[in-house]
Amino acid sequence: MSWTEERIDTLTRMWESGMTASQIAEELGGISRNAVIGKAHRLGLKPRPSPVKANADAEKPAPAPAVEAAKPAAPAPKPQAPAAPPPIAAEADDDGDDVFDDGPSIPTAMPTAPAPRQPELRSVGPGGFVRQNPGEQAPPSTPAPPRRLVPARPSEAIAGKTSLLDLNDRVCKWPIGHPGEPDFHFCGDKVNPGFPYCVEHCGHAYQAQLPRRDRRPPPPLPYGGPRVR
DNA sequence: CCCTGATTCGC
DNA sequence: GCGAATCAGG
């Protein structure tokens, strides 16, 4: 098997949306988990919560005269930052016509003029909702993921629906249902220009920020919160 | 044991 | 560039 552009694209999207290397390998078929990881690294995409991210020290005064087999063996106790489960937002890369693609961006990216970071400046998005400024961005109340991303595999249940692999910059990435469920898919409507979601779901994802004093205590949506649908 | 991603290194 | 082998943490 060779890495065609299409396969690379699939790999990239799945990798960036949090699929494990095993799952990606299985999806692509005829390829090993290692191949996926190797390719992912070669592509330069690897910002991923690794289960083994301990070693950060490169310099070690210890003499390593051996030609090889020099194992650092540095059990430096490091505080482990808990890796938050990645949001389901798959920043799809469609080659060519993605005008607004400036890399892995957050949904606050403005299509036209970047709003200068000013405390009380507030702009109104194309959908008519009030934008949040950078910094006050609570993660979109994505009711999505953390359990386990399983499918992405063509199934009868999602026939005609927008699957993970169908995501691009033009369709709404709002998840419908939950990963792992047979009919898990995405909204797929035309996006509110400049946003990852359609107008309706932008209304869910971006809420007008009330003055702090009027702010209700944050609704504890532990996880697997309100179903969208 | 299982899983994960990271890294190495012969090809 | 590729990916099996290996490593290492959970």
mmCIF file with all atom_site columns, all heavy atoms in Angstrom, chain A residues 41-60:
data_model
loop_
_atom_site.group_PDB
_atom_site.id
_atom_site.type_symbol
_atom_site.label_atom_id
_atom_site.label_alt_id
_atom_site.label_comp_id
_atom_site.label_asym_id
_atom_site.label_entity_id
_atom_site.label_seq_id
_atom_site.pdbx_PDB_ins_code
_atom_site.Cartn_x
_atom_site.Cartn_y
_atom_site.Cartn_z
_atom_site.occupancy
_atom_site.B_iso_or_equiv
_atom_site.pdbx_formal_charge
_atom_site.auth_seq_id
_atom_site.auth_comp_id
_atom_site.auth_asym_id
_atom_site.auth_atom_id
_atom_site.pdbx_PDB_model_num
ATOM 1   N N   . HIS A 1 41 ? 4.021  11.179 11.858 1.00 0.00 ? 41 HIS A N   1
ATOM 2   C CA  . HIS A 1 41 ? 5.180  11.949 12.307 1.00 0.00 ? 41 HIS A CA  1
ATOM 3   C C   . HIS A 1 41 ? 5.921  12.556 11.140 1.00 0.00 ? 41 HIS A C   1
ATOM 4   O O   . HIS A 1 41 ? 6.382  13.686 11.190 1.00 0.00 ? 41 HIS A O   1
ATOM 5   C CB  . HIS A 1 41 ? 6.104  11.053 13.120 1.00 0.00 ? 41 HIS A CB  1
ATOM 6   C CG  . HIS A 1 41 ? 5.590  10.808 14.490 1.00 0.00 ? 41 HIS A CG  1
ATOM 7   N ND1 . HIS A 1 41 ? 6.396  10.484 15.543 1.00 0.00 ? 41 HIS A ND1 1
ATOM 8   C CD2 . HIS A 1 41 ? 4.329  10.854 14.972 1.00 0.00 ? 41 HIS A CD2 1
ATOM 9   C CE1 . HIS A 1 41 ? 5.661  10.344 16.629 1.00 0.00 ? 41 HIS A CE1 1
ATOM 10  N NE2 . HIS A 1 41 ? 4.404  10.542 16.309 1.00 0.00 ? 41 HIS A NE2 1
ATOM 11  N N   . ARG A 1 42 ? 6.024  11.792 10.097 1.00 0.00 ? 42 ARG A N   1
ATOM 12  C CA  . ARG A 1 42 ? 6.725  12.298 8.928  1.00 0.00 ? 42 ARG A CA  1
ATOM 13  C C   . ARG A 1 42 ? 5.980  13.486 8.320  1.00 0.00 ? 42 ARG A C   1
ATOM 14  O O   . ARG A 1 42 ? 6.585  14.393 7.774  1.00 0.00 ? 42 ARG A O   1
ATOM 15  C CB  . ARG A 1 42 ? 6.866  11.179 7.892  1.00 0.00 ? 42 ARG A CB  1
ATOM 16  C CG  . ARG A 1 42 ? 8.258  10.606 7.849  1.00 0.00 ? 42 ARG A CG  1
ATOM 17  C CD  . ARG A 1 42 ? 8.307  9.383  6.969  1.00 0.00 ? 42 ARG A CD  1
ATOM 18  N NE  . ARG A 1 42 ? 8.143  8.171  7.773  1.00 0.00 ? 42 ARG A NE  1
ATOM 19  C CZ  . ARG A 1 42 ? 7.204  7.270  7.568  1.00 0.00 ? 42 ARG A CZ  1
ATOM 20  N NH1 . ARG A 1 42 ? 6.331  7.427  6.621  1.00 0.00 ? 42 ARG A NH1 1
ATOM 21  N NH2 . ARG A 1 42 ? 7.143  6.221  8.331  1.00 0.00 ? 42 ARG A NH2 1
ATOM 22  N N   . LEU A 1 43 ? 4.682  13.432 8.462  1.00 0.00 ? 43 LEU A N   1
ATOM 23  C CA  . LEU A 1 43 ? 3.876  14.538 7.952  1.00 0.00 ? 43 LEU A CA  1
ATOM 24  C C   . LEU A 1 43 ? 3.981  15.748 8.867  1.00 0.00 ? 43 LEU A C   1
ATOM 25  O O   . LEU A 1 43 ? 3.548  16.833 8.525  1.00 0.00 ? 43 LEU A O   1
ATOM 26  C CB  . LEU A 1 43 ? 2.403  14.116 7.845  1.00 0.00 ? 43 LEU A CB  1
ATOM 27  C CG  . LEU A 1 43 ? 2.073  13.154 6.713  1.00 0.00 ? 43 LEU A CG  1
ATOM 28  C CD1 . LEU A 1 43 ? 0.649  12.668 6.840  1.00 0.00 ? 43 LEU A CD1 1
ATOM 29  C CD2 . LEU A 1 43 ? 2.301  13.818 5.377  1.00 0.00 ? 43 LEU A CD2 1
ATOM 30  N N   . GLY A 1 44 ? 4.529  15.511 10.017 1.00 0.00 ? 44 GLY A N   1
ATOM 31  C CA  . GLY A 1 44 ? 4.699  16.627 10.938 1.00 0.00 ? 44 GLY A CA  1
ATOM 32  C C   . GLY A 1 44 ? 3.476  16.902 11.782 1.00 0.00 ? 44 GLY A C   1
ATOM 33  O O   . GLY A 1 44 ? 3.421  17.890 12.488 1.00 0.00 ? 44 GLY A O   1
ATOM 34  N N   . LEU A 1 45 ? 2.524  16.046 11.725 1.00 0.00 ? 45 LEU A N   1
ATOM 35  C CA  . LEU A 1 45 ? 1.344  16.237 12.557 1.00 0.00 ? 45 LEU A CA  1
ATOM 36  C C   . LEU A 1 45 ? 1.396  15.261 13.704 1.00 0.00 ? 45 LEU A C   1
ATOM 37  O O   . LEU A 1 45 ? 1.323  14.076 13.537 1.00 0.00 ? 45 LEU A O   1
ATOM 38  C CB  . LEU A 1 45 ? 0.065  16.050 11.753 1.00 0.00 ? 45 LEU A CB  1
ATOM 39  C CG  . LEU A 1 45 ? -0.097 14.862 10.827 1.00 0.00 ? 45 LEU A CG  1
ATOM 40  C CD1 . LEU A 1 45 ? -0.658 13.666 11.545 1.00 0.00 ? 45 LEU A CD1 1
ATOM 41  C CD2 . LEU A 1 45 ? -1.009 15.237 9.685  1.00 0.00 ? 45 LEU A CD2 1
ATOM 42  N N   . LYS A 1 46 ? 1.600  15.809 14.864 1.00 0.00 ? 46 LYS A N   1
ATOM 43  C CA  . LYS A 1 46 ? 1.598  14.891 15.992 1.00 0.00 ? 46 LYS A CA  1
ATOM 44  C C   . LYS A 1 46 ? 1.112  15.487 17.302 1.00 0.00 ? 46 LYS A C   1
ATOM 45  O O   . LYS A 1 46 ? 1.316  14.883 18.321 1.00 0.00 ? 46 LYS A O   1
ATOM 46  C CB  . LYS A 1 46 ? 2.981  14.308 16.194 1.00 0.00 ? 46 LYS A CB  1
ATOM 47  C CG  . LYS A 1 46 ? 4.064  15.329 16.429 1.00 0.00 ? 46 LYS A CG  1
ATOM 48  C CD  . LYS A 1 46 ? 5.359  14.633 16.815 1.00 0.00 ? 46 LYS A CD  1
ATOM 49  C CE  . LYS A 1 46 ? 6.411  15.625 17.224 1.00 0.00 ? 46 LYS A CE  1
ATOM 50  N NZ  . LYS A 1 46 ? 7.650  14.981 17.594 1.00 0.00 ? 46 LYS A NZ  1
ATOM 51  N N   . PRO A 1 47 ? 0.518  16.628 17.295 1.00 0.00 ? 47 PRO A N   1
ATOM 52  C CA  . PRO A 1 47 ? 0.083  17.148 18.576 1.00 0.00 ? 47 PRO A CA  1
ATOM 53  C C   . PRO A 1 47 ? -1.026 16.277 19.136 1.00 0.00 ? 47 PRO A C   1
ATOM 54  O O   . PRO A 1 47 ? -2.179 16.472 18.838 1.00 0.00 ? 47 PRO A O   1
ATOM 55  C CB  . PRO A 1 47 ? -0.432 18.541 18.243 1.00 0.00 ? 47 PRO A CB  1
ATOM 56  C CG  . PRO A 1 47 ? -0.801 18.471 16.816 1.00 0.00 ? 47 PRO A CG  1
ATOM 57  C CD  . PRO A 1 47 ? -0.006 17.378 16.188 1.00 0.00 ? 47 PRO A CD  1
ATOM 58  N N   . ARG A 1 48 ? -0.626 15.350 19.894 1.00 0.00 ? 48 ARG A N   1
ATOM 59  C CA  . ARG A 1 48 ? -1.595 14.387 20.380 1.00 0.00 ? 48 ARG A CA  1
ATOM 60  C C   . ARG A 1 48 ? -1.239 13.988 21.779 1.00 0.00 ? 48 ARG A C   1
ATOM 61  O O   . ARG A 1 48 ? -0.091 13.812 22.113 1.00 0.00 ? 48 ARG A O   1
ATOM 62  C CB  . ARG A 1 48 ? -1.525 13.140 19.511 1.00 0.00 ? 48 ARG A CB  1
ATOM 63  C CG  . ARG A 1 48 ? -2.149 13.374 18.199 1.00 0.00 ? 48 ARG A CG  1
ATOM 64  C CD  . ARG A 1 48 ? -3.456 12.733 18.196 1.00 0.00 ? 48 ARG A CD  1
ATOM 65  N NE  . ARG A 1 48 ? -3.311 11.434 17.581 1.00 0.00 ? 48 ARG A NE  1
ATOM 66  C CZ  . ARG A 1 48 ? -4.284 10.568 17.550 1.00 0.00 ? 48 ARG A CZ  1
ATOM 67  N NH1 . ARG A 1 48 ? -5.401 10.844 18.117 1.00 0.00 ? 48 ARG A NH1 1
ATOM 68  N NH2 . ARG A 1 48 ? -4.119 9.433  16.966 1.00 0.00 ? 48 ARG A NH2 1
ATOM 69  N N   . PRO A 1 49 ? -2.227 13.832 22.595 1.00 0.00 ? 49 PRO A N   1
ATOM 70  C CA  . PRO A 1 49 ? -1.955 13.358 23.944 1.00 0.00 ? 49 PRO A CA  1
ATOM 71  C C   . PRO A 1 49 ? -1.358 11.967 23.898 1.00 0.00 ? 49 PRO A C   1
ATOM 72  O O   . PRO A 1 49 ? -2.042 11.026 23.531 1.00 0.00 ? 49 PRO A O   1
ATOM 73  C CB  . PRO A 1 49 ? -3.330 13.347 24.600 1.00 0.00 ? 49 PRO A CB  1
ATOM 74  C CG  . PRO A 1 49 ? -4.297 13.351 23.471 1.00 0.00 ? 49 PRO A CG  1
ATOM 75  C CD  . PRO A 1 49 ? -3.625 14.037 22.328 1.00 0.00 ? 49 PRO A CD  1
ATOM 76  N N   . SER A 1 50 ? -0.121 11.909 24.211 1.00 0.00 ? 50 SER A N   1
ATOM 77  C CA  . SER A 1 50 ? 0.535  10.607 24.207 1.00 0.00 ? 50 SER A CA  1
ATOM 78  C C   . SER A 1 50 ? 0.513  10.018 25.599 1.00 0.00 ? 50 SER A C   1
ATOM 79  O O   . SER A 1 50 ? 0.689  10.719 26.575 1.00 0.00 ? 50 SER A O   1
ATOM 80  C CB  . SER A 1 50 ? 1.972  10.766 23.736 1.00 0.00 ? 50 SER A CB  1
ATOM 81  O OG  . SER A 1 50 ? 2.709  9.609  24.059 1.00 0.00 ? 50 SER A OG  1
ATOM 82  N N   . PRO A 1 51 ? 0.293  8.756  25.684 1.00 0.00 ? 51 PRO A N   1
ATOM 83  C CA  . PRO A 1 51 ? 0.303  8.107  26.992 1.00 0.00 ? 51 PRO A CA  1
ATOM 84  C C   . PRO A 1 51 ? 1.695  8.136  27.610 1.00 0.00 ? 51 PRO A C   1
ATOM 85  O O   . PRO A 1 51 ? 1.840  8.053  28.797 1.00 0.00 ? 51 PRO A O   1
ATOM 86  C CB  . PRO A 1 51 ? -0.124 6.677  26.680 1.00 0.00 ? 51 PRO A CB  1
ATOM 87  C CG  . PRO A 1 51 ? 0.161  6.502  25.238 1.00 0.00 ? 51 PRO A CG  1
ATOM 88  C CD  . PRO A 1 51 ? 0.028  7.842  24.605 1.00 0.00 ? 51 PRO A CD  1
ATOM 89  N N   . VAL A 1 52 ? 2.662  8.246  26.774 1.00 0.00 ? 52 VAL A N   1
ATOM 90  C CA  . VAL A 1 52 ? 4.022  8.288  27.289 1.00 0.00 ? 52 VAL A CA  1
ATOM 91  C C   . VAL A 1 52 ? 4.702  9.545  26.798 1.00 0.00 ? 52 VAL A C   1
ATOM 92  O O   . VAL A 1 52 ? 5.296  9.576  25.740 1.00 0.00 ? 52 VAL A O   1
ATOM 93  C CB  . VAL A 1 52 ? 4.802  7.044  26.865 1.00 0.00 ? 52 VAL A CB  1
ATOM 94  C CG1 . VAL A 1 52 ? 4.538  6.736  25.425 1.00 0.00 ? 52 VAL A CG1 1
ATOM 95  C CG2 . VAL A 1 52 ? 6.273  7.224  27.122 1.00 0.00 ? 52 VAL A CG2 1
ATOM 96  N N   . LYS A 1 53 ? 4.605  10.546 27.599 1.00 0.00 ? 53 LYS A N   1
ATOM 97  C CA  . LYS A 1 53 ? 5.195  11.812 27.186 1.00 0.00 ? 53 LYS A CA  1
ATOM 98  C C   . LYS A 1 53 ? 6.203  12.293 28.207 1.00 0.00 ? 53 LYS A C   1
ATOM 99  O O   . LYS A 1 53 ? 6.524  13.456 28.289 1.00 0.00 ? 53 LYS A O   1
ATOM 100 C CB  . LYS A 1 53 ? 4.106  12.860 27.034 1.00 0.00 ? 53 LYS A CB  1
ATOM 101 C CG  . LYS A 1 53 ? 3.376  13.064 28.344 1.00 0.00 ? 53 LYS A CG  1
ATOM 102 C CD  . LYS A 1 53 ? 2.453  14.229 28.288 1.00 0.00 ? 53 LYS A CD  1
ATOM 103 C CE  . LYS A 1 53 ? 1.735  14.348 29.621 1.00 0.00 ? 53 LYS A CE  1
ATOM 104 N NZ  . LYS A 1 53 ? 0.805  15.428 29.658 1.00 0.00 ? 53 LYS A NZ  1
ATOM 105 N N   . ALA A 1 54 ? 6.666  11.379 29.006 1.00 0.00 ? 54 ALA A N   1
ATOM 106 C CA  . ALA A 1 54 ? 7.457  11.750 30.171 1.00 0.00 ? 54 ALA A CA  1
ATOM 107 C C   . ALA A 1 54 ? 8.700  12.536 29.815 1.00 0.00 ? 54 ALA A C   1
ATOM 108 O O   . ALA A 1 54 ? 8.889  13.660 30.248 1.00 0.00 ? 54 ALA A O   1
ATOM 109 C CB  . ALA A 1 54 ? 7.847  10.506 30.949 1.00 0.00 ? 54 ALA A CB  1
ATOM 110 N N   . ASN A 1 55 ? 9.545  11.956 29.017 1.00 0.00 ? 55 ASN A N   1
ATOM 111 C CA  . ASN A 1 55 ? 10.885 12.495 28.843 1.00 0.00 ? 55 ASN A CA  1
ATOM 112 C C   . ASN A 1 55 ? 10.919 13.819 28.111 1.00 0.00 ? 55 ASN A C   1
ATOM 113 O O   . ASN A 1 55 ? 10.491 13.936 26.985 1.00 0.00 ? 55 ASN A O   1
ATOM 114 C CB  . ASN A 1 55 ? 11.728 11.482 28.065 1.00 0.00 ? 55 ASN A CB  1
ATOM 115 C CG  . ASN A 1 55 ? 13.165 11.610 28.477 1.00 0.00 ? 55 ASN A CG  1
ATOM 116 O OD1 . ASN A 1 55 ? 13.536 12.551 29.167 1.00 0.00 ? 55 ASN A OD1 1
ATOM 117 N ND2 . ASN A 1 55 ? 13.965 10.665 28.048 1.00 0.00 ? 55 ASN A ND2 1
ATOM 118 N N   . ALA A 1 56 ? 11.437 14.798 28.770 1.00 0.00 ? 56 ALA A N   1
ATOM 119 C CA  . ALA A 1 56 ? 11.583 16.103 28.127 1.00 0.00 ? 56 ALA A CA  1
ATOM 120 C C   . ALA A 1 56 ? 13.015 16.587 28.213 1.00 0.00 ? 56 ALA A C   1
ATOM 121 O O   . ALA A 1 56 ? 13.400 17.537 27.551 1.00 0.00 ? 56 ALA A O   1
ATOM 122 C CB  . ALA A 1 56 ? 10.659 17.119 28.770 1.00 0.00 ? 56 ALA A CB  1
ATOM 123 N N   . ASP A 1 57 ? 13.804 15.915 29.028 1.00 0.00 ? 57 ASP A N   1
ATOM 124 C CA  . ASP A 1 57 ? 15.190 16.373 29.176 1.00 0.00 ? 57 ASP A CA  1
ATOM 125 C C   . ASP A 1 57 ? 16.064 15.780 28.088 1.00 0.00 ? 57 ASP A C   1
ATOM 126 O O   . ASP A 1 57 ? 16.100 14.584 27.867 1.00 0.00 ? 57 ASP A O   1
ATOM 127 C CB  . ASP A 1 57 ? 15.720 15.974 30.549 1.00 0.00 ? 57 ASP A CB  1
ATOM 128 C CG  . ASP A 1 57 ? 15.616 14.484 30.757 1.00 0.00 ? 57 ASP A CG  1
ATOM 129 O OD1 . ASP A 1 57 ? 14.727 13.851 30.112 1.00 0.00 ? 57 ASP A OD1 1
ATOM 130 O OD2 . ASP A 1 57 ? 16.411 13.934 31.488 1.00 0.00 ? 57 ASP A OD2 1
ATOM 131 N N   . ALA A 1 58 ? 16.716 16.630 27.393 1.00 0.00 ? 58 ALA A N   1
ATOM 132 C CA  . ALA A 1 58 ? 17.565 16.164 26.298 1.00 0.00 ? 58 ALA A CA  1
ATOM 133 C C   . ALA A 1 58 ? 19.025 16.120 26.727 1.00 0.00 ? 58 ALA A C   1
ATOM 134 O O   . ALA A 1 58 ? 19.788 15.261 26.312 1.00 0.00 ? 58 ALA A O   1
ATOM 135 C CB  . ALA A 1 58 ? 17.405 17.066 25.090 1.00 0.00 ? 58 ALA A CB  1
ATOM 136 N N   . GLU A 1 59 ? 19.372 17.074 27.546 1.00 0.00 ? 59 GLU A N   1
ATOM 137 C CA  . GLU A 1 59 ? 20.778 17.179 27.934 1.00 0.00 ? 59 GLU A CA  1
ATOM 138 C C   . GLU A 1 59 ? 21.076 16.286 29.124 1.00 0.00 ? 59 GLU A C   1
ATOM 139 O O   . GLU A 1 59 ? 20.392 16.317 30.121 1.00 0.00 ? 59 GLU A O   1
ATOM 140 C CB  . GLU A 1 59 ? 21.096 18.636 28.294 1.00 0.00 ? 59 GLU A CB  1
ATOM 141 C CG  . GLU A 1 59 ? 20.812 19.590 27.159 1.00 0.00 ? 59 GLU A CG  1
ATOM 142 C CD  . GLU A 1 59 ? 21.447 19.131 25.863 1.00 0.00 ? 59 GLU A CD  1
ATOM 143 O OE1 . GLU A 1 59 ? 22.660 18.867 25.871 1.00 0.00 ? 59 GLU A OE1 1
ATOM 144 O OE2 . GLU A 1 59 ? 20.728 19.033 24.858 1.00 0.00 ? 59 GLU A OE2 1
ATOM 145 N N   . LYS A 1 60 ? 22.055 15.513 28.946 1.00 0.00 ? 60 LYS A N   1
ATOM 146 C CA  . LYS A 1 60 ? 22.498 14.735 30.087 1.00 0.00 ? 60 LYS A CA  1
ATOM 147 C C   . LYS A 1 60 ? 24.015 14.642 30.089 1.00 0.00 ? 60 LYS A C   1
ATOM 148 O O   . LYS A 1 60 ? 24.609 14.190 29.123 1.00 0.00 ? 60 LYS A O   1
ATOM 149 C CB  . LYS A 1 60 ? 21.903 13.338 30.050 1.00 0.00 ? 60 LYS A CB  1
ATOM 150 C CG  . LYS A 1 60 ? 21.872 12.767 31.440 1.00 0.00 ? 60 LYS A CG  1
ATOM 151 C CD  . LYS A 1 60 ? 20.885 11.650 31.578 1.00 0.00 ? 60 LYS A CD  1
ATOM 152 C CE  . LYS A 1 60 ? 20.663 11.423 33.040 1.00 0.00 ? 60 LYS A CE  1
ATOM 153 N NZ  . LYS A 1 60 ? 20.912 10.075 33.427 1.00 0.00 ? 60 LYS A NZ  1
#
